[in-house]
Amino acid sequence: MARVSLSRYLIEQQREHGRIDADLRLLIEVVARACKRIAIAIGKGELGGVLGSAGSENVQGEVQKKLDVLSNEILLEANEWGGHLAAMASEEMDHPHPIPNRFPKGEYLLVFDPLDGSSNIDVNVSVGTIFSVLRCPEGTVDPTEEAFLQPGSKQVAAGYAVYGPTTLLALTLGDGVAIFTLDREQGSFVLTSENLSIPADASEFAINMSNQRHWEAPMQRYVADLLAGAEGPRGKNFNMRWVASMVADVHRILTRGGVFIYPIDARIAKQGGKLRLLYEANPMAFIVEQAGGAATTGTERILDLQPTSLHQRVPVVLGAKNEVAKVAEYYREA
Ligand code: AHM
Ligand code: MG
């Protein structure tokens, strides 16, 4: 069978299915190219002098790693000049990044977490890039933060790259999820699976158990019932995994099922949760729903949330449809 490159896949989506226009096609190609550059930088590790802290903090008060800063710069630079974007926003920048006046402006907004799971870089565990594409509201010439505050259901595309044993790109254009594997010799992403589907029932869960004592009562009860296994109310055993890189945990769920949870807890209640709505929860919720799964905060569908600020945080429960519904049930009963 002929290999389908990402470029060919996108051209066919545009030409045969009319699902995307030329600007969105260019946008995805450019993001994918930037991800390749990030993959190369990560692959060099210590030899590239890219490990360790950058000696700065981002808007959320987190210490930035050198690779956080570098990945952000790679994505900004790659996407500035193509004419497909009106503005960008990132986990690593306080405010949206306008397209410089010397370049033409386009109709799309790009939001990203340039390097997710960056606490894992220095220990050589998978990290990733997450991105989400929105349309710039009509009549907005110089988009400010306001333009980005759209519910996740308005996303026109979303994806993530995982920099693991292989570099993969997962992509949705709103009609299923496709996975592309990076052919390092050729330097191109090649389609390796399409129409991904997360089994409705889960037998594996992902949560940082060390925070258990801080969770809300319904989450405590839910996880206690999972841990009780075959002898408990759920009547079956559940396995557990926690990579602490959302991209890697979500990718596992896309591949072999399960549920991923980053709940609200007493320490982070004030800030709304740990994961960010616009560039972590929304794109992942879009991808997971497109693979037949579900995503909730426990009480609301993530894609329905109306964002109130660029770096807003939310509780996240996503993956297997029936298991996500189960979590919502524990919250309703409470
Ligand atoms: P980051 O964007 O600063 O890397 O933070 C997000 C990451 C997720 O990838 C991961 O699921 C979570 O933080 C891990 O958090 P914890 O270290 O509390 O388990
Ligand atoms: Mg992140």
Side-chain angles (χ1 to χ4, degrees), residues 84-95:
H84 51 286
L85 285 181
M88 292 177 254
S90 155
E91 172 174 342
E92 302 303 334
M93 300 182 299
D94 305 15
H95 305 292

Side-chain angles (χ1 to χ4, degrees), residues 4 18 72 97 132 136 144 147 232 276 312 331:
V4 176
N72 193 54
H97 178 88
S132 156
C136 187
T144 55
R276 275 58 53 115
Q312 180 179 350
Y331 271 88

Side-chain angles (χ1 to χ4, degrees), residues 129-133 155 157-161 169-172 283-284 286-287:
T129 296
I130 311 174
F131 67 94
S132 156
V133 185
Q155 291 171 103
Y160 62 79
L169 184 78
L171 175 69
T172 183
M284 291 310 203
F286 189 23
I287 291 166

Side-chain angles (χ1 to χ4, degrees), residues 11 13 21 23 35 41 68 136 142 149 173 176 178 194 202 209 222 229 240 242 259 272 275 307 313 316 324:
I11 284 179
Q13 293 295 316
D21 60 21
D23 273 0
C35 290
D68 282 323
C136 187
D142 290 310
L149 305 183
L173 302 168
E194 252 185 306
M209 281 295 299
Y222 167 71
M240 198 195 87
W242 185 250
V259 65
L275 299 174
R313 299 177 191 249
V316 174
V324 172

Side-chain angles (χ1 to χ4, degrees), residues 274-289:
K274 159 105 187 200
L275 299 174
R276 275 58 53 115
L277 176 58
L278 288 183
Y279 40 84
E280 292 174 326
N282 272 344
M284 291 310 203
F286 189 23
I287 291 166
V288 163
E289 283 200 5

Side-chain angles (χ1 to χ4, degrees), residues 33-332:
R33 207 178 306 139
C35 290
K36 280 187 246 175
R37 283 191 59 194
I38 297 171
I40 290 168
I42 291 171
K44 288 194 171 40
E46 195 77 66
L47 301 178
V50 292
L51 301 188
S53 156
S56 51
E57 280 188 1
N58 66 13
V59 56
Q60 355 228 347
E62 298 160 341
V63 175
Q64 290 178 305
K65 301 275 185 182
K66 283 184 198 159
L67 271 171
D68 282 323
V69 176
L70 183 69
S71 307
N72 193 54
E73 277 164 9
I74 289 175
L75 279 156
L76 288 180
E77 194 200 278
N79 280 286
E80 267 184 354
W81 48 270
H84 51 286
L85 285 181
M88 292 177 254
S90 155
E91 172 174 342
E92 302 303 334
M93 300 182 299
D94 305 15
H95 305 292
H97 178 88
I99 298 301
N101 281 331
R102 61 183 187 281
F103 300 125
K105 288 198 181 93
E107 288 177 6
Y108 292 102
L109 299 173
L110 175 65
V111 200
F112 47 83
D113 177 353
L115 203 66
D116 180 62
S118 52
S119 69
N120 276 324
I121 295 167
D122 295 348
V123 290
N124 199 24
V125 168
S126 295
V127 289
T129 296
I130 311 174
F131 67 94
S132 156
V133 185
L134 296 161
R135 247 177 243 289
C136 187
E138 240 170 270
T140 309
V141 190
D142 290 310
T144 55
E145 174 164 342
E146 192 76 39
F148 289 86
L149 305 183
Q150 306 180 35
S153 55
K154 293 266 171 71
Q155 291 171 103
V156 294
Y160 62 79
V162 200
Y163 312 111
T166 50
T167 291
L168 299 174
L169 184 78
L171 175 69
T172 183
L173 302 168
D175 185 41
V177 182
I179 306 275
F180 302 83
T181 302
L182 181 62
D183 179 329
R184 290 180 204 267
E185 280 78 45
Q186 301 255 345
S188 68
F189 278 108
V190 179
L191 181 65
T192 42
S193 37
E194 252 185 306
N195 302 321
L196 274 92
S197 165
I198 301 171
D201 292 312
S203 49
E204 197 164 62
F205 66 103
I207 196 165
N208 186 339
M209 281 295 299
S210 71
N211 299 326
Q212 183 177 27
R213 68 193 184 285
H214 304 293
W215 299 336
E216 297 172 319
M219 191 51 68
Q220 299 267 8
R221 271 188 43 233
Y222 167 71
V223 175
D225 289 354
L226 296 183
L227 295 175
E231 294 77 37
R234 298 296 303 273
K236 70 174 198 177
N237 294 324
F238 287 83
N239 188 28
M240 198 195 87
R241 286 286 185 278
W242 185 250
V243 183
S245 281
M246 189 190 198
V247 277
D249 280 312
V250 170
H251 189 69
R252 185 188 57 254
I253 287 169
L254 218 54
T255 314
R256 69 174 192 207
V259 65
F260 169 92
I261 309 175
Y262 210 113
I264 197 150
D265 71 43
R267 296 159 317 148
I268 55 175
K270 261 212 201 92
Q271 62 185 44
K274 159 105 187 200
L275 299 174
R276 275 58 53 115
L277 176 58
L278 288 183
Y279 40 84
E280 292 174 326
N282 272 344
M284 291 310 203
F286 189 23
I287 291 166
V288 163
E289 283 200 5
Q290 285 296 317
T296 176
T297 61
T299 54
E300 277 170 286
R301 178 180 176 235
I302 287 185
L303 295 183
D304 286 338
L305 297 173
Q306 171 60 51
T308 53
S309 68
L310 198 56
H311 300 288
Q312 180 179 350
R313 299 177 191 249
V314 288
V316 174
V317 180
L318 58 76
K321 206 176 184 164
N322 294 343
E323 203 54 38
V324 172
K326 198 87 195 157
V327 176
E329 218 175 279
Y330 279 75
Y331 271 88
R332 259 197 316 278

